[in-house]
Amino acid sequence: MIWLWAILQMLTLIGVATYWRHLPTERKEEAPEGVAVVLSLRDDWDGSPNLIARLKAQNVCFRLILATSGDCPAARDLAAREGDWVQLVAAGVAEGEGQKVHKLRAALRELRLEDRYLVFLDADIVPPARLLGRLLFPLVRDKADIVTGYRLLLPGRGWMSGLVGAVEMQLATLPRSATATMPWGGAMAMTRAGADRLDLDAVLAGRLSDDMSIGLAGWRAKLRMRPVRDLLVASPIEGRAADLLAFGVRQYRHVRTNSLRMWGIATGVVAVQSAAWLWAIGWGSWTAIAIGYGAASGRALIRRKIVTSVLEPGQAKVAKRSLYWDMVTPFAVIWAHLAVQLAAAMSNDIRWGGWLYHVKRGWVTSMSRLPS
């Protein structure tokens, strides 16, 4: 058993090292004309001056589409202030589909003939200046039809945010290939031709998860989906422990309600690692524990290099707080990961953005507004 344990730990170390090995050293960008950036906003959006400043600092000229329900004062103020650069879209309240999906579909109907490249961003990210140029590079060079980054959480105060960040970093630093990639809706781009080929409006209609719906449809259509490995985009996270736990459960519930097979594979892999750690601590020797901690420290050191390479110095300092969990209690991270996956299987109800959705096979079957 000790040899199986050692092999398992070595494989996890190789996986993170593979991600590090394939990080682009020459981060080429493209700045084509005809770029439309869609930003989906909740009604309580505060205007995010830092986000807007960072978008203006991009190395790409683009048109910004603010997709709202129609009751977002900060979005109206920004559109009035910025003139032609910003287009405000009022989608209204969704019926039979997720509110974010509803806003995105409304934005799609406002596209112009000259919009050749579509970029979808979340409002809670802290984008680097290279974000748009890096997303567009594979599209312009005809290396992909859909391009994606991924989030890297910046934990706030409290132990739970660091633990959630550690679990998320396991996913962020998984080896990625162009044939086994799911897009992340927080930083995703596609060609207009790819969107038309998918019939993107029809793909999103009646759905809750934008990225899962687009990713699965892209696989079925055999579109080329490419990850940009150096675009691990800073995403701050903080709040009460219960809310942070709910965030993790919601992510995996999106996966399970869209693809039971994908959720099963991911949960199976984490379950094997969790059981192996249980054996090492409960029935293994001190040698087994030393092997586990040695591999965990190795993964943390490599992830530290990845974080330093892809984030700004201040962001990297915050993100590295999550690495302490993997070095001090690596078993807690993997057990927490499994707990979130299993909790996701307990229900088909998803609480998101002030709404309670019941989802079956990716479709919203009912929805109701949560009390404020």
Side-chain angles (χ1 to χ4, degrees):
M1 184 65 181
I2 190 72
W3 290 107
L4 291 176
W5 169 246
I7 291 171
L8 177 62
Q9 292 303 305
M10 182 59 67
L11 289 174
T12 64
L13 188 58
I14 290 173
V16 179
T18 299
Y19 193 101
W20 165 248
R21 180 174 176 270
H22 287 97
L23 268 182
T25 54
E26 188 177 3
R27 297 170 182 177
K28 298 180 180 179
E29 300 182 37
E30 285 284 0
E33 296 181 351
V35 178
V37 174
V38 179
L39 194 64
S40 177
L41 302 174
R42 293 175 56 171
D43 290 342
D44 59 357
W45 184 58
D46 63 359
S48 300
N50 182 51
L51 172 64
I52 299 304
R54 284 176 173 270
L55 290 178
K56 288 182 175 181
Q58 297 293 308
N59 302 320
V60 176
C61 292
F62 62 93
R63 185 167 66 91
L64 181 62
I65 302 176
L66 303 180
T68 75
S69 68
D71 191 23
C72 180
R76 287 197 299 268
D77 292 345
L78 180 65
R81 189 169 63 248
E82 295 293 344
D84 292 341
W85 179 57
V86 173
Q87 179 180 357
L88 183 63
V89 175
V93 178
E95 293 183 10
E97 63 187 8
Q99 191 64 41
K100 180 182 179 183
V101 159
H102 186 63
K103 295 170 189 173
L104 295 181
R105 293 183 65 209
L108 291 174
R109 291 191 288 271
E110 296 298 322
L111 293 177
R112 301 170 183 170
L113 288 176
E114 62 267 25
D115 294 329
R116 297 165 50 223
Y117 300 96
L118 311 180
V119 181
F120 301 93
L121 301 179
D122 280 349
D124 58 354
I125 63 172
V126 188
R130 69 181 187 280
L131 176 70
L132 295 184
R134 291 292 291 138
L135 285 173
L136 292 166
F137 176 78
L139 299 178
V140 175
R141 298 296 179 94
D142 196 27
K143 297 176 181 289
D145 301 301
I146 299 176
V147 181
T148 183
Y150 196 73
R151 66 175 156 252
L152 197 58
L153 297 180
L154 304 183
R157 289 178 292 182
W159 63 273
M160 180 59 86
S161 62
L163 179 58
V164 172
V167 171
E168 188 69 18
M169 197 175 293
Q170 291 183 337
L171 300 172
T173 55
L174 278 174
R176 283 170 169 75
S177 72
T179 58
T181 291
M182 284 295 290
W184 171 53
M188 172 177 58
M190 64 179 68
T191 60
R192 180 73 172 272
D196 291 343
R197 181 179 167 188
L198 277 181
D199 191 359
L200 189 55
D201 181 69
V203 164
L204 293 173
R207 302 286 185 166
L208 179 59
S209 172
D210 54 318
D211 38 22
M212 286 295 300
S213 300
I214 292 171
L216 292 172
W219 279 1
R220 289 192 292 267
K222 301 188 185 306
L223 295 187
R224 299 165 298 167
M225 293 189 283
R226 186 184 182 101
V228 182
R229 294 177 181 85
D230 61 280
L231 282 185
L232 295 180
V233 185
S235 302
I237 184 171
E238 59 182 342
R240 298 180 306 160
D243 295 333
L244 295 172
L245 178 62
F247 164 80
V249 173
R250 184 175 70 242
Q251 305 312 309
Y252 268 109
R253 196 161 287 171
H254 280 309
V255 176
R256 194 189 67 81
T257 53
N258 279 273
S259 175
L260 185 60
R261 180 170 176 265
M262 189 182 300
W263 172 85
I265 292 172
T267 303
V269 170
V270 175
V272 168
Q273 296 182 59
S274 297
W277 261 112
L278 185 62
W279 167 84
I281 294 174
W283 295 275
S285 62
W286 285 106
T287 300
I289 294 175
I291 290 173
Y293 268 86
S297 297
R299 291 191 302 267
L301 290 174
I302 298 172
R303 285 174 177 144
R304 181 184 178 89
K305 291 185 176 183
I306 293 172
V307 167
T308 301
S309 175
V310 302
L311 295 184
E312 298 168 7
Q315 297 172 348
K317 183 178 180 180
V318 176
K320 288 173 186 176
R321 295 175 190 166
S322 296
L323 296 176
Y324 295 123
W325 278 96
D326 216 7
M327 297 177 69
V328 178
T329 55
F331 51 87
V333 178
I334 200 68
W335 290 346
H337 197 160
L338 180 62
V340 165
Q341 291 172 320
L342 295 178
M346 298 296 105
S347 171
N348 284 355
D349 292 338
I350 297 178
R351 296 171 181 264
W352 190 19
W355 291 84
L356 174 63
Y357 302 94
H358 186 77
V359 184
K360 186 174 183 180
R361 296 180 181 176
W363 300 97
V364 175
T365 58
S366 66
M367 57 185 289
S368 59
R369 193 184 292 271
L370 293 169
S372 55

